[in-house]
Amino acid sequence: MEYVDFGKTGHKVSRLGMGCMRLPSYEKDGKTIFDEEKGIALIQRAIELGVNYFDTAPFYCDRMSEVILGKALQGGRREKILLSTKCPMESGTGDDYQKNLEGSLKQLGTSHIDFYHFWGISLKTFVEKVAVKGGALERAQKLKEEGLIKHISFSFHDRDAKEKEGDNLKEILKKGEGILETVLVQYNLMDRVKEEGIALAHQMGLGTVIMGPVGGGRLGAPSKAIMDMLPGKVASTAELALRFVLANQNVNIALSGVSTIEQLEENVRVTSNTSALSQEELQRIDAMMEENKRLAELYCTGCNYCMPCPANINIPAIFGMMNNHRVYGLTQHAEREYNSIGKNPWMKFENASVCTDCGACETKCPQSIPIREQLKETHSTLAK
């Protein structure tokens, strides 16, 4: 396992971190049950393989992730690793922040959290809740002085202004300069909007952690189109995706959620035993991704001018799923995603089958896309 300096925190971290959001589970009586015994074994195997950064949160795995991780760290293992968890920012008050911290300390069975995150904040949340007088940022600094938190961190999901994600990330970094010490953001082969923000964080001395290096599983599915970017040089789409993230010199840790020891060992193999991508290989990937983006935009640029749909169809999102199949060859993921519409709490819209053929979307599309026809094609292709 390779280790690097984690910003200016003074810690050396493994290039691969373990995300504890997808711990082993099974179905019983229609409910998902998280398997403590297998989860503990998985975490302990990661420690044996040299992983020293573990990330969790209070609500992961039906509120069992912190509990299972805490049990796995007993027997002297806690001292061998760096522990990251998160604070929900519903209120942003100092009292709620401390209450959440105390809950996580109890669940994890530990005396301190190494990296405690303002969880999933936007620029708006940071300005209006976190960094206000008497708010969570002030309390975090106090609790750090007391030793309950070692480093003040944040994870970033700016849903308030998606088109400005990269800029908003940079604004938080500037406003929190000298206080914020590490950042956790999504970044992968198909989502590079935060690349400049990650570079700024690294330049400012923050530790940088990447979630979703394989696109939340999207790039875990086999894709000939993506593997052909480096023909004969990678064993899987997931390997290329992980190596792409780690080739970015501004990235310290690629955080990967795993459910099996086989997945864990494969990730360790990729991060430990393969050479870094060359500049020539990265340029080839860039060129092919630009071409794929151009092809995808022939079908939809995601401008959102067609929205809202009277039938509550998220047209750009659904066309994005179709492009994952049609352009990138990520068919398994596209089918899985499409068939979870209306069932997944993040996708509270209808699938293409409810289109009423009103045509309102087509009158607003600047590319004159035959949207109704393509919605029918998408449903026919992806619905199971």
Side-chain angles (χ1 to χ4, degrees), residues 53-252:
Y53 186 96
F54 290 80
D55 178 86
T56 183
F59 304 149
Y60 287 176
C61 302
D62 198 21
R63 299 177 182 269
M64 286 299 296
S65 179
E66 287 187 332
V67 173
I68 294 171
L69 179 55
K71 290 181 178 180
L73 297 179
Q74 292 176 10
R77 295 180 183 86
R78 172 66 182 94
E79 291 72 30
K80 297 178 180 178
I81 67 102
L82 297 165
L83 186 56
S84 157
T85 192
K86 308 179 186 78
C87 179
M89 298 310 302
E90 280 86 352
S91 76
T93 68
D95 286 346
D96 282 349
Y97 179 86
Q98 183 163 346
K99 181 180 178 182
N100 283 315
L101 172 63
E102 290 168 351
S104 287
L105 290 170
K106 183 177 180 181
Q107 292 274 82
L108 288 159
T110 187
S111 61
H112 68 276
I113 305 297
D114 296 297
F115 302 98
Y116 196 49
H117 291 73
F118 301 116
W119 190 2
I121 60 172
S122 64
L123 176 58
K124 179 180 172 70
T125 302
F126 185 77
V127 171
E128 297 182 2
K129 290 184 177 181
V130 176
V132 297
K133 185 173 177 56
L137 190 61
E138 282 188 8
R139 188 64 61 90
Q141 292 174 86
K142 178 177 180 292
L143 294 169
K144 181 183 174 183
E145 290 173 3
E146 295 174 5
L148 297 178
I149 300 167
K150 298 300 181 182
H151 303 280
I152 300 171
S153 306
F154 75 102
S155 64
F156 177 79
H157 291 287
D158 202 334
R159 296 194 178 92
D160 299 314
K162 283 210 169 196
E163 71 280 3
K164 296 179 180 177
E165 281 184 85
D167 290 340
N168 288 355
L169 172 57
K170 287 187 275 189
E171 279 300 307
I172 293 176
L173 290 167
K174 291 170 186 174
K175 291 180 183 297
E177 187 170 7
I179 301 173
L180 300 172
E181 299 171 86
T182 79
V183 59
L184 169 62
V185 297
Q186 179 162 300
Y187 170 69
N188 57 63
L189 190 63
M190 296 178 69
D191 179 4
R192 299 174 62 176
V193 71
K194 303 179 190 71
E195 209 161 62
E196 290 184 5
I198 294 165
L200 177 61
H202 180 75
Q203 178 187 327
M204 293 173 66
L206 278 77
T208 55
V209 187
I210 301 306
M211 57 180 155
V214 292
R218 175 173 44 168
L219 293 165
S223 165
K224 184 178 184 300
I226 291 176
M227 288 184 66
D228 281 351
M229 294 177 185
L230 295 179
K233 295 188 177 182
V234 291
S236 67
T237 308
E239 178 179 334
L240 189 149
L242 199 52
R243 290 179 66 189
F244 170 81
V245 167
L246 291 172
N248 186 327
Q249 295 181 351
N250 298 311
V251 169
N252 297 141

Side-chain angles (χ1 to χ4, degrees), residues 18-26 32-35 38-39 42-43 55-57 59-62 64-65 68 186 211-218 255-261 263 267 333 336 344:
M18 180 172 170
C20 298
M21 189 172 71
R22 296 184 175 89
L23 295 177
S25 65
Y26 58 91
T32 300
I33 308 297
F34 287 90
D35 191 316
K38 287 186 177 180
L42 180 62
I43 292 163
D55 178 86
T56 183
F59 304 149
Y60 287 176
C61 302
D62 198 21
M64 286 299 296
S65 179
I68 294 171
Q186 179 162 300
M211 57 180 155
V214 292
R218 175 173 44 168
L255 197 63
S256 184
V258 292
S259 302
T260 68
I261 286 179
Q263 291 170 349
N267 284 347
H333 177 80
R336 186 168 60 247
N344 184 322

